[in-house]
Amino acid sequence: MEGSTQGPGRPLDPRDWESTRGQEQQQPPPPTQQSPPPQQPPQHHAEEVPENIKDQTREGEDPYQWHSGRTREHGATDAVEFIDVKKSFGRNTILNGLNLGLPDGQISMILGPSGTGKSVCIKHMVGLLYPDEGDVLVHGESVPDMADDELFEMRKKFGVLFQDGALFGSMNVFDNTAFPLRQHTDKGEEEISEIVMRRLKEVGLGGAIDKMPNELSGGMRKRAGFARALVLDPDIVLFDEPDSGLDPVRTALLCELIMEVHEENGGAYCVITHDIMSARRVADYIAILWKGRIVESGPASELFNSDNQFVRQFLSGEAQGPLGME
């Protein structure tokens, strides 16, 4: 179009624009492209699943077909959060995209079959392990991003009751319980004694302060460990299979003690277990961990009425269902 060619310094004539626009409108339409097929929900392809998790899966099944990832509202802020956490030890993948929130002010339970990484979760919370991918937040702060001094301070928010109580064999009950106060505070012995005696009486060991760990029953060692976990007035208390090695009666008594102490002190309590009766007695909130991910989580009353076949099987202890001997 000679009449519309713009020379140097010549302003664009509106007629040129109209002429150009007309040309563009006369251009043949681009070839029709076939609409893409509707997007399908993501599939867990075999090559994306770690070998050790495939080994736990029946032949021909999707390893994560029961993992709805459904998170029911718990009505509180999260004291601890796992965000897309992955953790492997060598070729064994333990956590494989874990997303989990533990509500403040409630007793939470992480349930799941043996060997699914429940205790590994605790070690991530306190910074003893770091995720290969993803993040762990405590009160909104990233644990892997903390400097050493920040991590040291953050750990003071936690009290931990280990499986066997983890008492020092060379110390009596009083000194075991006083150890965190002497190690992490500048309190005098008189104040330490007052705190220790209050906590030991709280767990029913006020008369056992001079006993050595080898003189205690399994239940007494657990209670002494519980008292020690409480002396720093932690915001978050972690219980790593507290019912391990206890008979049913002492397990029930320990569950009652956990509820009583929580009612008095508040905070976020997280119990790691695979004992369903303990969950029925204690839990406000339940998360079920299997194959490195949460199957479902939510208020205990709702999970015990879940229509998820794996959740129903695990919480009822039935032999028939998705969980087998794999």
Side-chain angles (χ1 to χ4, degrees):
M1 283 178 49
E2 292 182 9
S4 62
T5 303
Q6 182 180 0
R10 176 189 164 207
L12 181 65
D13 191 313
R15 290 172 296 177
D16 295 339
W17 169 252
E18 292 297 327
S19 174
T20 304
R21 187 172 65 179
Q23 268 197 344
E24 291 173 350
Q25 291 174 344
Q26 293 170 12
Q27 294 284 342
T32 305
Q33 295 184 356
Q34 187 175 2
S35 299
Q39 188 175 4
Q40 298 296 319
Q43 300 294 319
H44 302 286
H45 300 293
E47 65 270 17
E48 297 175 352
V49 179
E51 286 296 326
N52 64 300
I53 290 179
K54 285 196 289 184
D55 291 343
Q56 303 170 39
T57 306
R58 294 169 182 168
E59 187 174 356
E61 289 188 357
D62 179 349
Y64 292 111
Q65 65 176 316
W66 304 110
H67 292 65
S68 68
R70 183 178 179 187
T71 302
R72 296 169 172 84
E73 181 59 43
H74 52 60
T77 56
D78 288 330
V80 180
E81 258 186 292
F82 289 78
I83 303 172
D84 297 324
V85 170
K86 293 187 178 183
K87 184 64 179 180
S88 297
F89 299 98
R91 295 186 176 183
N92 284 334
T93 297
I94 307 302
L95 304 179
N96 191 35
L98 174 65
N99 288 287
L100 169 65
L102 300 177
D104 203 0
Q106 298 184 28
I107 301 176
S108 299
M109 278 201 167
I110 301 178
L111 301 175
S114 298
T116 55
K118 301 185 295 295
S119 296
V120 171
C121 290
I122 280 186
K123 294 177 181 177
H124 277 79
M125 293 182 210
V126 297
L128 293 176
L129 290 175
Y130 293 108
D132 300 330
E133 298 179 31
D135 204 358
V136 180
L137 307 180
V138 173
H139 292 152
E141 300 292 328
S142 172
V143 175
D145 289 345
M146 290 180 181
D148 288 346
D149 56 342
E150 295 172 322
L151 187 61
F152 184 79
E153 289 301 314
M154 183 276 293
R155 285 174 175 161
K156 293 180 183 178
K157 296 182 176 183
F158 285 89
V160 183
L161 173 58
F162 298 97
Q163 287 188 22
D164 60 353
L167 301 178
F168 297 108
S170 60
M171 296 182 185
N172 62 25
V173 168
F174 182 94
D175 289 333
N176 262 289
T177 308
F179 183 83
L181 292 166
R182 291 169 174 161
Q183 189 76 13
H184 298 296
T185 74
D186 297 324
K187 298 180 185 299
E189 282 300 311
E190 186 176 343
E191 187 178 2
I192 287 175
S193 179
E194 187 275 326
I195 294 170
V196 168
M197 291 307 301
R198 173 164 53 88
R199 291 306 189 186
L200 286 173
K201 288 176 182 176
E202 199 170 25
V203 300
L205 291 178
I209 60 173
D210 294 321
K211 289 185 178 295
M212 302 299 286
N214 61 3
E215 299 177 288
L216 303 177
S217 68
M220 292 174 76
R221 285 196 297 272
K222 301 271 189 183
R223 286 184 282 146
F226 190 10
R228 186 176 63 183
L230 295 172
V231 292
L232 290 177
D233 293 322
D235 298 323
I236 304 167
V237 183
L238 307 177
F239 302 82
D240 190 4
E241 300 200 17
D243 43 31
S244 174
L246 296 183
D247 60 67
V249 173
R250 286 178 174 82
T251 296
L253 292 171
L254 181 63
C255 287
E256 285 190 9
L257 179 61
I258 290 172
M259 289 188 292
E260 290 171 4
V261 174
H262 181 264
E263 185 175 355
E264 181 176 343
N265 296 280
Y269 280 22
C270 176
V271 183
I272 303 295
T273 187
H274 52 253
D275 184 74
I276 306 307
M277 288 306 297
S278 295
R280 289 187 180 275
R281 290 188 184 101
V282 172
D284 299 313
Y285 186 84
I286 290 176
I288 298 183
L289 178 65
W290 187 36
K291 298 179 181 177
R293 296 181 187 173
I294 296 300
V295 180
E296 279 193 12
S297 61
S301 58
E302 295 184 25
L303 252 70
F304 277 107
N305 291 302
S306 172
D307 56 5
N308 183 299
Q309 289 188 38
F310 178 86
V311 175
R312 292 177 69 88
Q313 180 195 7
F314 190 81
L315 293 182
S316 62
E318 294 177 357
Q320 300 299 317
L323 179 61
M325 296 294 289
E326 296 84 5

